[in-house]
Amino acid sequence: LADLLRLGGRWLQPAGRLLAMKGRYPAEEIAQLPPDWQLVAAHRLQVPFLDEERHLIEVARAIQPKSE
């Protein structure tokens, strides 16, 4: 995920979201997301005729606190 964000994240609009299809739930990759990115959602998918895990991972830029 970090490599995908490094290569493709710059092409997203500020409020854009990046979707990535993964096999098993990528807990380690999610834990290693760059600090300016956050997990929005992880959806477990059921793919017909496939007896393996699939997840759709949704990430977005982290919300930066507004300074006063």
Side-chain angles (χ1 to χ4, degrees):
L1 286 173
D3 288 341
L4 184 59
L5 290 170
R6 183 176 48 79
L7 295 170
R10 63 185 170 165
W11 300 108
L12 292 177
Q13 294 292 322
R17 293 186 178 187
L18 186 130
L19 304 176
M21 174 87 77
K22 302 298 283 182
R24 294 184 188 154
Y25 183 80
E28 188 173 315
E29 288 183 70
I30 290 169
Q32 295 175 358
L33 284 174
D36 51 337
W37 292 91
Q38 66 183 8
L39 176 68
V40 173
H43 308 277
R44 185 176 177 130
L45 305 175
Q46 288 296 121
V47 180
F49 309 108
L50 184 64
D51 191 28
E52 297 178 23
E53 287 186 50
R54 291 292 183 263
H55 290 83
L56 182 66
I57 306 300
E58 187 176 353
V59 294
R61 286 185 177 83
I63 299 172
Q64 303 298 323
K66 293 183 181 182
S67 45
E68 296 180 34

Coordinates of all heavy atoms in Angstrom, one line a residue:
L1 N 0.8 -1.2 0.0 CA 0.0 0.0 0.0 C 0.9 1.3 0.0 O 0.5 2.2 -0.7 CB -0.9 0.0 1.2 CG -2.1 -0.9 1.2 CD1 -2.8 -0.9 2.5 CD2 -3.1 -0.6 0.1
A2 N 1.9 1.2 0.8 CA 2.8 2.4 0.8 C 3.4 2.8 -0.5 O 3.4 3.9 -1.0 CB 3.9 2.2 1.9
D3 N 3.8 1.7 -1.3 CA 4.3 2.0 -2.6 C 3.3 2.5 -3.6 O 3.5 3.4 -4.4 CB 4.9 0.7 -3.2 CG 6.3 0.3 -2.6 OD1 6.9 1.2 -1.9 OD2 6.6 -0.9 -2.7
L4 N 2.1 1.9 -3.5 CA 1.0 2.4 -4.3 C 0.6 3.8 -4.0 O 0.4 4.6 -5.0 CB -0.3 1.5 -4.1 CG -1.5 1.8 -4.9 CD1 -1.2 1.6 -6.4 CD2 -2.6 0.8 -4.5
L5 N 0.6 4.2 -2.8 CA 0.4 5.6 -2.4 C 1.5 6.5 -2.9 O 1.2 7.6 -3.3 CB 0.2 5.7 -0.9 CG -1.1 5.1 -0.4 CD1 -1.1 5.1 1.1 CD2 -2.3 5.9 -0.9
R6 N 2.7 6.1 -2.7 CA 3.9 6.9 -3.2 C 3.8 7.1 -4.7 O 4.1 8.3 -5.1 CB 5.2 6.2 -2.8 CG 6.4 7.0 -3.1 CD 7.7 6.3 -2.7 NE 7.8 4.9 -3.0 CZ 8.1 4.4 -4.2 NH1 8.4 5.2 -5.2 NH2 8.2 3.1 -4.5
L7 N 3.4 6.1 -5.4 CA 3.4 6.3 -6.9 C 2.1 6.9 -7.4 O 2.1 7.7 -8.3 CB 3.5 4.9 -7.6 CG 4.9 4.2 -7.3 CD1 4.8 2.8 -7.8 CD2 6.0 5.0 -8.0
G8 N 1.0 6.6 -6.8 CA -0.3 7.1 -7.4 C -1.0 8.1 -6.6 O -1.9 8.8 -7.1
G9 N -0.7 8.3 -5.3 CA -1.4 9.2 -4.4 C -1.4 10.6 -4.9 O -2.3 11.4 -4.7
R10 N -0.3 11.0 -5.5 CA -0.2 12.4 -6.0 C -1.2 12.7 -7.1 O -1.5 13.9 -7.3 CB 1.2 12.7 -6.5 CG 1.6 11.8 -7.7 CD 3.0 12.0 -8.1 NE 3.3 11.0 -9.2 CZ 4.4 11.1 -9.9 NH1 5.2 12.2 -9.8 NH2 4.6 10.2 -10.8
W11 N -1.8 11.7 -7.7 CA -2.8 12.0 -8.8 C -4.2 12.1 -8.2 O -5.1 12.5 -9.0 CB -2.7 10.8 -9.8 CG -1.4 10.7 -10.4 CD1 -0.5 9.7 -10.2 CD2 -0.8 11.6 -11.3 NE1 0.6 9.9 -10.9 CE2 0.5 11.1 -11.6 CE3 -1.2 12.8 -11.9 CZ2 1.4 11.7 -12.5 CZ3 -0.3 13.4 -12.8 CH2 1.0 12.9 -13.1
L12 N -4.4 11.9 -6.9 CA -5.7 12.1 -6.4 C -6.0 13.5 -6.0 O -5.1 14.3 -5.6 CB -5.8 11.2 -5.1 CG -5.8 9.7 -5.2 CD1 -5.8 9.1 -3.8 CD2 -6.9 9.2 -6.0
Q13 N -7.3 13.8 -6.1 CA -7.7 15.1 -5.6 C -7.6 15.2 -4.1 O -7.5 14.1 -3.5 CB -9.2 15.4 -6.0 CG -9.5 15.5 -7.5 CD -8.9 16.7 -8.1 OE1 -8.9 17.8 -7.5 NE2 -8.3 16.7 -9.3
P14 N -7.6 16.3 -3.5 CA -7.4 16.4 -2.0 C -8.4 15.5 -1.2 O -8.0 14.9 -0.2 CB -7.6 17.9 -1.7 CG -7.1 18.6 -2.9 CD -7.6 17.7 -4.1
A15 N -9.6 15.4 -1.7 CA -10.6 14.6 -1.0 C -10.7 13.2 -1.7 O -11.6 12.5 -1.3 CB -11.9 15.3 -1.0
G16 N -9.8 12.9 -2.6 CA -9.9 11.6 -3.3 C -9.6 10.4 -2.4 O -9.0 10.6 -1.3
R17 N -10.0 9.3 -2.8 CA -9.7 8.0 -2.1 C -9.1 7.0 -3.1 O -9.5 7.0 -4.2 CB -11.0 7.5 -1.5 CG -11.6 8.4 -0.5 CD -12.8 7.8 0.2 NE -13.2 8.7 1.3 CZ -14.1 8.4 2.1 NH1 -14.7 7.3 2.1 NH2 -14.4 9.3 3.1
L18 N -8.2 6.3 -2.5 CA -7.5 5.3 -3.3 C -8.1 3.9 -2.9 O -8.2 3.6 -1.7 CB -6.0 5.3 -3.1 CG -5.2 4.4 -4.0 CD1 -4.1 5.1 -4.6 CD2 -4.7 3.2 -3.2
L19 N -8.4 3.1 -3.8 CA -9.0 1.7 -3.6 C -7.9 0.7 -4.0 O -7.4 0.8 -5.1 CB -10.3 1.5 -4.3 CG -11.4 2.5 -4.0 CD1 -12.6 2.2 -4.9 CD2 -11.8 2.5 -2.6
A20 N -7.7 -0.3 -3.2 CA -6.7 -1.3 -3.5 C -7.3 -2.7 -3.2 O -7.9 -2.9 -2.1 CB -5.4 -1.1 -2.7
M21 N -7.2 -3.6 -4.2 CA -7.7 -4.9 -4.0 C -6.5 -5.7 -3.4 O -5.4 -5.7 -3.9 CB -8.1 -5.6 -5.3 CG -8.4 -7.1 -5.2 SD -10.1 -7.4 -4.7 CE -10.9 -7.1 -6.2
K22 N -6.7 -6.4 -2.2 CA -5.7 -7.2 -1.6 C -6.3 -8.6 -1.3 O -7.5 -8.8 -1.4 CB -5.3 -6.5 -0.2 CG -4.8 -5.1 -0.3 CD -3.5 -5.0 -1.1 CE -2.4 -5.5 -0.3 NZ -1.1 -5.4 -1.0
G23 N -5.4 -9.5 -1.0 CA -5.8 -10.8 -0.7 C -6.3 -10.9 0.8 O -7.3 -10.4 1.1
R24 N -5.4 -11.5 1.6 CA -5.7 -11.5 3.0 C -5.7 -10.1 3.6 O -5.0 -9.2 3.0 CB -4.6 -12.3 3.8 CG -4.6 -13.7 3.4 CD -3.6 -14.5 4.3 NE -3.5 -15.9 3.8 CZ -2.5 -16.6 3.9 NH1 -1.4 -16.1 4.5 NH2 -2.5 -17.8 3.5
Y25 N -6.4 -9.9 4.7 CA -6.4 -8.5 5.3 C -5.0 -8.1 5.6 O -4.2 -8.7 6.3 CB -7.2 -8.6 6.6 CG -7.4 -7.2 7.2 CD1 -8.3 -6.3 6.7 CD2 -6.6 -6.8 8.3 CE1 -8.4 -5.0 7.3 CE2 -6.7 -5.5 8.8 CZ -7.6 -4.7 8.3 OH -7.7 -3.4 8.8
P26 N -4.6 -6.9 5.0 CA -3.2 -6.5 5.1 C -2.9 -5.6 6.3 O -2.5 -4.5 6.3 CB -3.0 -5.7 3.8 CG -4.4 -5.1 3.6 CD -5.3 -6.1 4.1
A27 N -3.0 -6.2 7.5 CA -2.9 -5.5 8.8 C -1.5 -4.8 8.9 O -1.4 -3.6 9.3 CB -3.1 -6.4 10.0
E28 N -0.4 -5.5 8.5 CA 0.9 -4.9 8.6 C 1.1 -3.8 7.6 O 1.6 -2.7 8.0 CB 2.0 -6.0 8.3 CG 3.4 -5.5 8.5 CD 4.4 -6.7 8.4 OE1 4.1 -7.8 8.9 OE2 5.4 -6.4 7.7
E29 N 0.5 -3.9 6.4 CA 0.6 -2.8 5.4 C -0.1 -1.6 5.9 O 0.3 -0.4 5.7 CB 0.1 -3.2 4.1 CG 1.0 -4.2 3.3 CD 0.5 -4.5 2.0 OE1 0.5 -3.6 1.1 OE2 0.0 -5.7 1.8
I30 N -1.3 -1.8 6.5 CA -2.1 -0.7 7.0 C -1.4 0.0 8.2 O -1.4 1.2 8.2 CB -3.5 -1.2 7.4 CG1 -4.3 -1.6 6.2 CG2 -4.3 -0.2 8.2 CD1 -5.6 -2.4 6.4
A31 N -0.8 -0.8 9.0 CA 0.0 -0.2 10.1 C 1.2 0.6 9.7 O 1.6 1.5 10.4 CB 0.5 -1.3 11.1
Q32 N 1.7 0.4 8.5 CA 2.8 1.1 7.9 C 2.4 2.1 6.9 O 3.3 2.6 6.2 CB 3.8 0.1 7.3 CG 4.4 -0.9 8.3 CD 5.3 -1.9 7.6 OE1 5.4 -2.0 6.4 NE2 5.8 -2.8 8.4
L33 N 1.2 2.5 6.9 CA 0.8 3.6 6.0 C 1.6 4.9 6.3 O 1.8 5.2 7.5 CB -0.7 3.9 6.1 CG -1.7 3.0 5.5 CD1 -3.1 3.3 5.8 CD2 -1.5 2.9 4.0
P34 N 1.9 5.6 5.3 CA 2.6 6.9 5.6 C 1.7 7.8 6.5 O 0.5 7.7 6.5 CB 2.7 7.5 4.2 CG 2.7 6.4 3.2 CD 1.7 5.4 3.8
P35 N 2.3 8.6 7.3 CA 1.6 9.4 8.3 C 0.5 10.3 7.7 O -0.4 10.7 8.4 CB 2.7 10.2 9.0 CG 3.9 10.1 8.2 CD 3.8 8.9 7.3
D36 N 0.7 10.7 6.4 CA -0.3 11.6 5.8 C -1.5 10.8 5.2 O -2.3 11.4 4.5 CB 0.3 12.6 4.9 CG 1.2 11.9 3.8 OD1 1.7 10.8 4.1 OD2 1.5 12.5 2.8
W37 N -1.6 9.5 5.4 CA -2.6 8.7 4.8 C -3.3 7.9 6.0 O -2.6 7.6 7.0 CB -2.1 7.7 3.8 CG -1.7 8.4 2.6 CD1 -0.4 8.9 2.3 CD2 -2.5 8.8 1.4 NE1 -0.4 9.5 1.1 CE2 -1.6 9.5 0.5 CE3 -3.8 8.6 1.1 CZ2 -2.1 10.0 -0.7 CZ3 -4.3 9.1 -0.1 CH2 -3.4 9.8 -1.0
Q38 N -4.6 7.6 5.8 CA -5.3 6.9 6.8 C -6.3 5.9 6.2 O -6.7 6.1 5.0 CB -6.1 7.8 7.7 CG -7.2 8.5 7.0 CD -8.0 9.5 7.9 OE1 -7.5 9.7 9.0 NE2 -9.0 10.1 7.5
L39 N -6.5 4.8 6.9 CA -7.5 3.8 6.4 C -8.9 4.4 6.6 O -9.2 4.9 7.6 CB -7.4 2.5 7.3 CG -8.4 1.4 7.0 CD1 -8.2 0.8 5.6 CD2 -8.3 0.4 8.0
V40 N -9.7 4.3 5.5 CA -11.1 4.8 5.6 C -12.0 3.6 5.9 O -12.9 3.6 6.7 CB -11.5 5.5 4.3 CG1 -13.0 5.8 4.3 CG2 -10.7 6.7 4.1
A41 N -11.8 2.5 5.1 CA -12.6 1.3 5.3 C -11.9 0.1 4.7 O -11.0 0.2 3.8 CB -13.9 1.5 4.6
A42 N -12.2 -1.1 5.2 CA -11.7 -2.3 4.6 C -13.0 -3.2 4.4 O -13.7 -3.4 5.4 CB -10.7 -3.0 5.5
H43 N -13.2 -3.6 3.2 CA -14.4 -4.4 2.9 C -13.9 -5.8 2.5 O -13.1 -6.0 1.6 CB -15.1 -3.8 1.7 CG -15.4 -2.4 1.9 ND1 -16.5 -1.9 2.6 CD2 -14.8 -1.2 1.4 CE1 -16.5 -0.6 2.6 NE2 -15.5 -0.2 1.9
R44 N -14.5 -6.8 3.2 CA -14.2 -8.2 2.8 C -15.1 -8.5 1.6 O -16.3 -8.3 1.7 CB -14.4 -9.2 4.0 CG -14.0 -10.6 3.6 CD -14.2 -11.5 4.7 NE -13.8 -12.8 4.3 CZ -13.0 -13.7 4.9 NH1 -12.5 -13.3 6.0 NH2 -12.7 -14.8 4.3
L45 N -14.5 -9.1 0.6 CA -15.3 -9.4 -0.6 C -15.5 -10.9 -0.8 O -14.6 -11.7 -0.4 CB -14.5 -8.9 -1.9 CG -14.1 -7.4 -1.8 CD1 -13.3 -7.1 -3.1 CD2 -15.4 -6.5 -1.8
Q46 N -16.6 -11.3 -1.3 CA -16.9 -12.6 -1.7 C -16.8 -12.7 -3.2 O -17.7 -12.1 -3.9 CB -18.3 -13.1 -1.2 CG -18.4 -13.3 0.2 CD -17.5 -14.4 0.7 OE1 -16.7 -14.2 1.6 NE2 -17.8 -15.6 0.2
V47 N -15.8 -13.3 -3.8 CA -15.7 -13.4 -5.2 C -16.2 -14.8 -5.7 O -15.7 -15.8 -5.2 CB -14.2 -13.3 -5.7 CG1 -14.1 -13.4 -7.2 CG2 -13.7 -11.9 -5.2
P48 N -17.2 -14.8 -6.5 CA -17.8 -16.1 -7.0 C -16.7 -17.0 -7.5 O -15.8 -16.6 -8.3 CB -18.8 -15.7 -8.0 CG -19.1 -14.3 -7.7 CD -17.9 -13.7 -7.2
F49 N -16.8 -18.3 -7.2 CA -15.9 -19.3 -7.7 C -14.5 -19.2 -7.2 O -13.6 -19.8 -7.8 CB -16.0 -19.4 -9.2 CG -17.4 -19.5 -9.7 CD1 -18.0 -18.5 -10.4 CD2 -18.1 -20.7 -9.5 CE1 -19.2 -18.5 -10.9 CE2 -19.5 -20.7 -10.0 CZ -20.0 -19.7 -10.7
L50 N -14.2 -18.4 -6.2 CA -12.9 -18.2 -5.7 C -12.9 -18.5 -4.2 O -13.6 -17.9 -3.5 CB -12.4 -16.7 -5.9 CG -11.0 -16.5 -5.5 CD1 -10.0 -17.3 -6.3 CD2 -10.7 -15.0 -5.6
D51 N -12.1 -19.5 -3.8 CA -12.1 -19.9 -2.4 C -10.9 -19.3 -1.7 O -10.1 -20.0 -1.1 CB -12.1 -21.4 -2.4 CG -12.4 -21.9 -0.9 OD1 -13.0 -21.2 -0.2 OD2 -11.8 -23.0 -0.6
E52 N -10.7 -18.0 -1.9 CA -9.6 -17.3 -1.2 C -10.1 -16.0 -0.7 O -11.1 -15.5 -1.2 CB -8.4 -17.1 -2.2 CG -7.8 -18.4 -2.8 CD -6.7 -18.1 -3.8 OE1 -6.2 -17.0 -3.8 OE2 -6.5 -19.0 -4.6
E53 N -9.3 -15.4 0.2 CA -9.7 -14.1 0.8 C -9.4 -13.0 -0.2 O -8.4 -13.0 -0.9 CB -8.9 -13.8 2.1 CG -9.4 -14.6 3.2 CD -8.6 -14.2 4.5 OE1 -8.6 -13.0 4.8 OE2 -8.1 -15.1 5.2
R54 N -10.3 -12.0 -0.2 CA -10.1 -10.8 -1.0 C -10.7 -9.6 -0.1 O -11.7 -9.8 0.5 CB -10.8 -10.8 -2.3 CG -10.2 -11.8 -3.3 CD -8.8 -11.3 -3.8 NE -8.3 -12.2 -4.8 CZ -7.4 -13.2 -4.5 NH1 -7.1 -13.4 -3.3 NH2 -7.0 -13.9 -5.5
H55 N -9.9 -8.5 -0.1 CA -10.4 -7.3 0.6 C -10.2 -6.1 -0.3 O -9.2 -6.0 -1.0 CB -9.5 -7.1 1.9 CG -9.8 -8.1 2.9 ND1 -9.2 -9.4 2.9 CD2 -10.6 -8.1 4.0 CE1 -9.6 -10.1 3.9 NE2 -10.5 -9.3 4.6
L56 N -11.1 -5.2 -0.2 CA -11.0 -3.9 -0.8 C -10.6 -2.9 0.2 O -11.4 -2.7 1.2 CB -12.3 -3.5 -1.5 CG -12.3 -2.2 -2.3 CD1 -11.4 -2.3 -3.5 CD2 -13.7 -1.8 -2.7
I57 N -9.5 -2.3 0.1 CA -8.9 -1.4 1.1 C -9.1 0.0 0.5 O -8.7 0.3 -0.6 CB -7.4 -1.7 1.4 CG1 -7.2 -3.1 1.8 CG2 -6.9 -0.7 2.4 CD1 -8.0 -3.5 3.0
E58 N -9.7 0.9 1.4 CA -10.0 2.3 1.0 C -9.2 3.2 1.9 O -9.3 3.2 3.1 CB -11.5 2.5 1.2 CG -12.0 3.8 0.7 CD -13.5 3.9 0.8 OE1 -14.2 2.9 1.2 OE2 -14.0 5.0 0.6
V59 N -8.3 4.0 1.3 CA -7.5 5.0 2.0 C -7.6 6.4 1.5 O -8.0 6.6 0.3 CB -6.0 4.6 2.0 CG1 -5.7 3.3 2.7 CG2 -5.4 4.5 0.6
A60 N -7.4 7.3 2.3 CA -7.5 8.8 2.0 C -6.4 9.5 2.7 O -5.8 9.0 3.7 CB -8.9 9.3 2.3
R61 N -6.2 10.7 2.3 CA -5.3 11.6 3.0 C -5.8 11.8 4.4 O -7.0 12.0 4.6 CB -5.1 12.9 2.3 CG -4.3 12.8 1.1 CD -4.1 14.2 0.4 NE -3.2 14.0 -0.7 CZ -3.6 13.7 -2.0 NH1 -4.9 13.4 -2.1 NH2 -2.8 13.5 -2.9
A62 N -4.9 11.8 5.4 CA -5.3 12.1 6.8 C -5.8 13.5 6.9 O -5.3 14.4 6.3 CB -4.2 11.8 7.7
I63 N -6.8 13.7 7.7 CA -7.4 15.0 8.0 C -6.4 15.8 8.9 O -6.0 15.3 10.0 CB -8.7 14.9 8.6 CG1 -9.7 14.2 7.7 CG2 -9.2 16.3 9.0 CD1 -11.0 13.9 8.3
Q64 N -5.9 16.9 8.4 CA -5.0 17.7 9.1 C -5.8 18.7 10.0 O -6.7 19.3 9.6 CB -4.1 18.6 8.2 CG -3.4 17.7 7.2 CD -2.4 16.8 7.9 OE1 -1.8 17.2 8.8 NE2 -2.2 15.6 7.3
P65 N -5.4 18.8 11.3 CA -6.1 19.7 12.2 C -5.9 21.1 11.8 O -4.8 21.5 11.3 CB -5.5 19.5 13.6 CG -4.2 18.7 13.3 CD -4.3 18.1 12.0
K66 N -7.0 21.9 11.9 CA -6.9 23.3 11.4 C -6.2 24.1 12.5 O -6.6 24.0 13.7 CB -8.3 23.9 11.2 CG -9.0 23.2 10.0 CD -10.3 23.9 9.7 CE -10.9 23.2 8.5 NZ -12.2 23.8 8.2
S67 N -5.3 24.9 12.2 CA -4.6 25.8 13.2 C -5.4 27.1 13.3 O -6.0 27.6 12.4 CB -3.2 26.0 12.8 OG -3.1 26.4 11.4
E68 N -5.4 27.6 14.5 CA -6.2 28.8 14.8 C -5.4 30.0 14.7 O -4.2 30.1 14.8 CB -6.8 28.7 16.2 CG -7.8 27.6 16.3 CD -8.4 27.5 17.6 OE1 -8.6 28.5 18.3 OE2 -8.7 26.3 18.1

